Amino acid sequence: MTALTLLGDLKEEIEVLLKDVVTKNTAGEPVTGVKGYEYRLPIIVSDEEDESQFFPYFIVKPLEGKTEDDDDPWLVTVDILLGICENDKDVLGQKHILVMIQRIVDRFAAEPLLNKKYRAEQKMEWAVQDEDTYPFYFGGVEIKFRVPKLSLIHISEPTRLRCIS
């Protein structure tokens, strides 16, 4: 179990949590569910594409990992970044962001274990943007997870290789 496997498991869990959230894409069409990405959005490869094609989305991104000593697990800080598009001026896009934040926070407050491997700390933080970027709205959650260290196999004597020329 590593920070790498934590990201994949967390992305899958959040996709399930947000599977019935209804938002819109940039064309104004209804979209059910929110697509997750690890680290960042996919790289744009042509001039006809732009990042708006990925809305709605979330990104799970590791920030740092700390450990106190050999017996302690890693404490891995993960940001969950949320982005939606809401073209309807009568609908406050931040409400969608707050619903998604609440689902994520409630899930890990009620059941801190993720896949029986990682434990979410109860001290979580969330935020929404403070400026108007209509029709795009953003927010995020920061959660620290306890990630067990991998057991290392110790070899009692070094293995020597003999070269034959």
Side-chain angles (χ1 to χ4, degrees), residues 3 6-7 10 39 59-66 75-81 125 141-145:
L6 166 65
L7 291 182
L10 185 57
Y39 304 103
I59 300 169
V60 291
K61 181 178 180 180
L63 294 181
E64 66 178 358
K66 296 179 184 179
L75 185 61
V76 178
T77 304
V78 178
D79 266 353
I80 303 161
L81 309 171
E125 296 183 36
V141 179
E142 181 182 279
I143 305 177
K144 293 179 181 354
F145 287 89

Side-chain angles (χ1 to χ4, degrees), residues 86-147:
E86 179 54 70
N87 293 315
D88 187 345
K89 292 180 181 178
D90 295 329
V91 176
L92 183 59
Q94 290 297 11
K95 286 185 178 182
H96 292 303
I97 294 291
L98 286 172
V99 165
M100 292 189 284
I101 287 172
Q102 196 65 50
R103 286 184 182 199
I104 294 166
V105 170
D106 287 351
R107 184 314 191 182
F108 290 106
E111 176 50 59
L113 284 180
L114 172 61
N115 288 350
K116 300 179 184 176
K117 297 184 271 187
Y118 319 103
R119 182 171 191 80
E121 295 287 294
Q122 292 302 292
K123 183 179 176 184
M124 297 178 245
E125 296 183 36
W126 62 266
V128 294
Q129 71 191 58
D130 62 349
E131 57 189 70
D132 187 10
T133 54
Y134 170 85
F136 302 106
Y137 298 89
F138 305 94
V141 179
E142 181 182 279
I143 305 177
K144 293 179 181 354
F145 287 89
R146 298 243 172 228
V147 178

